Amino acid sequence: MNFGFDYDYNKRHDGNMNHLEHLFDNNRKWAQAVEEAHPGFFQGLASLQSPQYLWIGCSDSRVPANEIVGLKPGELFVHRNVANIVVHSDLNVLSVLQYAVEVLQVRHVIVCGHYGCGGVAAAMEDKRHGLIDNWLCHIKDIYNIHAEKIEALDSQQARSDLLCELNVMAQVNNLAQTTVIRDAWLRKQPVSLHGWIYSIQNGLLKDLGINLDMPG
Ligand code: CO
């Protein structure tokens, strides 16, 4: 296929020792183990995905979506970004949401934050981090709304934990404002929104008790 530029991928990497071969080794072992445990697994998935859930989580490498909830490939549709933010005008998250709700017909959309989120911590600092500061402004806004409640807490840990939770709740509310969710509810499509938080310390999820359903 011609992408309009002169780049022979194979040639470019020929003789280059930095092939990340161990990742390909891991992949072959993984594919083989899955196929042995569930013969025909990949063949079955290749023709169809029908996940029940859309997961909107943090990019953090310590929060692997499928593993946390014990779901196999094909069972969880996933969007991740720094600090699991649902920005009203972010075409990326909106496209994922629209496809998940309208095409895949997921029943549940889960925003899952995590304690110790680096994005949330950075948003609480008075330091420059580069381009990402523009993204983190969304969390600063949440901080400002709840500043009194957050600043009443006596440890940085507690303040950060609370902001991680408030961030998830704000993002669930943002989801409910999207045209995708509002339209789904207007046509009586059952899709529920949930706000959860994950602890890197013990691997456990907590339901933050913000579960939004079709009104009426
Ligand atoms: Co994070």
Side-chain angles (χ1 to χ4, degrees):
M1 203 178 290
N2 182 6
F3 290 103
F5 53 87
D6 183 23
Y7 189 76
D8 184 335
Y9 191 85
N10 292 320
K11 202 170 163 193
R12 170 73 176 74
H13 288 263
D14 226 21
N16 181 347
M17 293 306 285
N18 190 16
H19 271 177
L20 303 181
E21 266 311 324
H22 59 298
L23 298 185
F24 286 87
D25 287 344
N26 289 351
N27 168 251
R28 280 186 290 271
K29 286 179 199 145
W30 172 77
Q32 194 181 345
V34 171
E35 194 58 35
E36 273 165 19
H38 310 277
F41 181 80
F42 293 108
Q43 281 263 303
L45 271 188
S47 57
L48 181 74
Q49 68 162 338
S50 55
Q52 294 278 299
Y53 317 94
L54 164 61
W55 172 281
I56 299 174
C58 184
S59 299
D60 193 303
S61 65
R62 299 164 295 179
V63 193
N66 284 65
E67 274 115 309
I68 289 174
V69 284
L71 291 178
K72 297 194 289 288
E75 296 180 330
L76 189 67
F77 203 61
V78 174
H79 175 81
R80 292 169 70 178
N81 63 37
V82 171
N84 41 269
I85 303 177
V86 178
V87 176
H88 298 301
S89 57
D90 174 9
L91 272 181
N92 191 345
V93 73
L94 291 175
S95 301
V96 170
L97 180 67
Q98 189 241 325
Y99 189 78
V101 170
E102 293 180 12
V103 180
L104 298 174
Q105 302 264 312
V106 298
R107 295 292 303 269
H108 303 276
V109 182
I110 300 152
V111 176
C112 186
H114 67 103
Y115 294 120
C117 182
V120 171
M124 294 177 89
E125 292 171 1
D126 251 339
K127 233 168 66 184
R128 294 286 301 270
H129 304 89
L131 175 75
I132 196 167
D133 289 331
N134 300 285
W135 183 251
L136 298 178
C137 272
H138 295 292
I139 302 176
K140 281 188 189 287
D141 290 344
I142 299 165
Y143 182 99
N144 290 335
I145 293 168
H146 301 279
E148 209 176 318
K149 196 173 167 194
I150 294 168
E151 284 162 17
L153 296 170
D154 53 11
S155 75
Q156 180 54 28
Q157 168 93 47
R159 288 191 286 269
S160 160
D161 286 355
L162 177 59
L163 186 55
C164 287
E165 293 178 355
L166 292 169
N167 178 42
V168 170
M169 293 189 246
Q171 305 317 325
V172 173
N173 282 317
N174 285 353
L175 268 180
Q177 301 300 319
T178 61
T179 54
V180 177
I181 295 299
R182 289 165 67 180
D183 289 348
W185 285 342
L186 270 178
R187 53 175 190 268
K188 306 279 179 218
Q189 180 183 337
V191 53
S192 313
L193 314 181
H194 311 269
W196 299 352
I197 196 151
Y198 174 76
S199 169
I200 287 171
Q201 307 270 349
N202 62 16
L204 295 177
L205 281 172
K206 185 166 90 181
D207 189 333
L208 289 174
I210 178 164
N211 296 287
L212 303 185
D213 264 309
M214 190 161 31

